[in-house]
Amino acid sequence: MLAMHDLDGTLLATSEQMLMGMGQESGRPAPFPNLIEAAIAELPHVERSAWPTLAGRTIGIRR
């Protein structure tokens, strides 16, 4: 989660990234290959209670 503030401390923008595996042939969600899954498991993890207030909002395409 990244946040951009102006010199007065006003929040201007946020950016949150989500990792998602995609099947190359199907173009649909799929599990990560084992090597990638292992690398992701090595990334730092933070308890949800320590997330920034704006992190973790639901994203999606409404139909």
Side-chain angles (χ1 to χ4, degrees), residues 17-51:
Q17 290 71 43
M18 176 177 71
L19 299 174
M20 183 175 183
M22 296 295 291
Q24 291 184 346
E25 291 182 16
S26 68
R28 311 244 339 129
F32 287 108
N34 291 338
L35 184 64
I36 302 302
E37 188 174 344
I40 292 170
E42 295 296 318
L43 295 172
H45 293 266
V46 177
E47 294 297 322
R48 189 172 186 128
S49 61
W51 290 7

Side-chain angles (χ1 to χ4, degrees), residues 2 23 39 43 56 58:
L2 303 172
L43 295 172
T58 301

Side-chain angles (χ1 to χ4, degrees), residues 1-30:
M1 178 79 180
L2 303 172
M4 181 172 63
H5 297 85
D6 64 14
L7 294 176
D8 296 324
T10 303
L11 180 65
L12 301 174
T14 61
S15 175
E16 182 177 6
Q17 290 71 43
M18 176 177 71
L19 299 174
M20 183 175 183
M22 296 295 291
Q24 291 184 346
E25 291 182 16
S26 68
R28 311 244 339 129

